């Protein structure tokens, strides 16, 4: 028969039940990662920064998202769907390239200066001072794909007579890309929505007309 003292010792030696792993809302954590990369860029956002703003530990981050690069790739996809899709919608929904670009610039002025989130465009700025060639190349390909989409739409308008036959579609597409990228940088530098809208109006004033 075991005495009360022996029972106490055995109870003390019994292993404690393990706590359940900390759970978190993946979409909420991912949105916080979007904001961190958007504000600071890929290079300046460390894993410790990410775990702090996302409210999770490093093991949970790696288990849920993979490494920092894999998380960034997912962030770029989410950013494009939630915040950067206005350009694609304008190209798809407007009847002419001119109408699409005019809408795109107007909406960029609003999106790039929206309160409560970082200003400018993540795809334009996130690879600034980046030492990862793969990240730089990935974002550069996205920017160049946008310019190619502008050019394709402009060539279609030349063929249909909406734009003059001598229009340099490649140059006009690059001009559009330069204006959007410049608007993004100026938004980060403190330009207001109204100031960017005025810039967009000047940009459209040089648009070729038949």
């Amino acid at each position: 028969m075991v005495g009360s003292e022996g029972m106490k010792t055995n109870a003390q030696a019994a292993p404690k039940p393990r706590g359940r792993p900390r759970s978190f809302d993946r979409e909420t954590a991912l949105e916080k990662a979007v904001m961190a990369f958007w504000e600071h860029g890929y290079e300046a956002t460390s894993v410790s920064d990410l775990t702090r703003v996302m409210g999770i530990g490093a093991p949970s981050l790696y288990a849920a998202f993979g490494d920092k690069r894999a998380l960034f790739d997912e962030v770029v996809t989410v950013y494009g769907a939630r915040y950067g899709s206005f350009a694609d919608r304008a190209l798809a929904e407007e009847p002419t390239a001119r109408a699409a670009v005019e809408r795109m610039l107007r909406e960029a002025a609003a999106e790039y200066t929206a309160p409560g989130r970082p200003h400018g465009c993540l795809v334009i700025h996130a690879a600034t001072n980046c030492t990862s060639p793969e990240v730089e190349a990935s974002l550069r390909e996205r920017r160049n794909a946008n310019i190619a989409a502008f050019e394709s739409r402009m060539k279609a308008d030349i063929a249909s007579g909406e734009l003059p036959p001598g229009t340099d579609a490649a140059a006009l597409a690059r001009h559009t890309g330069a204006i959007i990228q410049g608007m993004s940088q100026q938004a980060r530098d403190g330009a207001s929505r109204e100031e960017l809208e005025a810039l967009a109006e000047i940009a459209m004033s040089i648009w070729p007309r038949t």
Side-chain angles (χ1 to χ4, degrees), residues 26 43 45 80 94 103 112 115 125 142 144 150 152 161 170 177 188:
R26 191 180 190 280
E43 190 72 21
T45 305
E94 295 300 325
R103 170 179 163 180
Y112 291 168
H125 298 290
R142 285 178 174 269
N144 286 337
F150 302 159
S152 176
R188 290 181 74 88

Side-chain angles (χ1 to χ4, degrees), residues 140-150:
R140 183 167 56 247
E141 287 171 5
R142 285 178 174 269
R143 294 191 297 269
N144 286 337
N146 288 338
I147 292 174
F150 302 159

Side-chain angles (χ1 to χ4, degrees), residues 7-210:
M7 292 176 62
K8 181 178 180 181
T9 302
N10 289 341
Q12 289 174 340
K16 294 180 179 180
R18 293 183 179 180
R20 296 179 62 185
R22 181 181 179 184
S23 61
F24 64 95
D25 184 276
R26 191 180 190 280
E27 288 304 310
T28 299
L30 182 57
E31 177 68 9
K32 290 179 179 178
V34 170
M35 295 299 154
F37 281 123
W38 192 354
E39 177 69 29
H40 304 291
Y42 180 82
E43 190 72 21
T45 305
S46 67
V47 171
S48 61
D49 293 331
L50 291 166
T51 57
R52 184 180 67 255
V53 301
M54 296 167 76
I56 61 176
S60 295
L61 185 151
Y62 291 123
F65 301 101
D67 59 11
K68 175 183 170 181
R69 171 63 197 283
L71 171 59
F72 181 72
D73 288 344
E74 188 169 352
V75 158
V76 172
T77 299
V78 170
Y79 171 85
R82 292 181 186 170
Y83 304 106
S85 60
F86 63 90
D88 289 339
R89 288 197 305 269
L91 287 174
E93 295 171 4
E94 295 300 325
T96 65
R98 188 185 196 286
V101 171
E102 186 172 21
R103 170 179 163 180
M104 196 185 309
L105 298 184
R106 184 177 65 253
E107 293 186 1
E111 291 290 336
Y112 291 168
T113 59
R117 65 189 196 216
H119 286 177
C121 172
L122 181 150
V123 174
I124 293 172
H125 298 290
T128 302
N129 298 323
C130 182
T131 59
S132 172
E134 296 83 5
V135 170
E136 284 188 325
S138 174
L139 297 186
R140 183 167 56 247
E141 287 171 5
R142 285 178 174 269
R143 294 191 297 269
N144 286 337
N146 288 338
I147 292 174
F150 302 159
E151 183 177 352
S152 176
R153 186 62 187 276
M154 291 162 186
K155 285 181 175 177
D157 275 17
I158 294 171
S160 68
E162 288 288 345
L163 283 170
T167 301
D168 186 336
L172 188 57
R174 288 210 168 272
H175 174 265
T176 301
I179 293 298
I180 290 175
Q181 291 171 18
M183 290 173 70
S184 177
Q185 181 60 56
Q186 291 198 19
R188 290 181 74 88
D189 288 343
S192 67
R193 174 177 177 173
E194 292 74 20
E195 288 171 329
L196 295 184
E197 286 174 341
L199 187 157
E201 187 175 343
I202 292 173
M204 294 308 302
S205 70
I206 62 105
W207 192 268
R209 295 182 181 273
T210 53

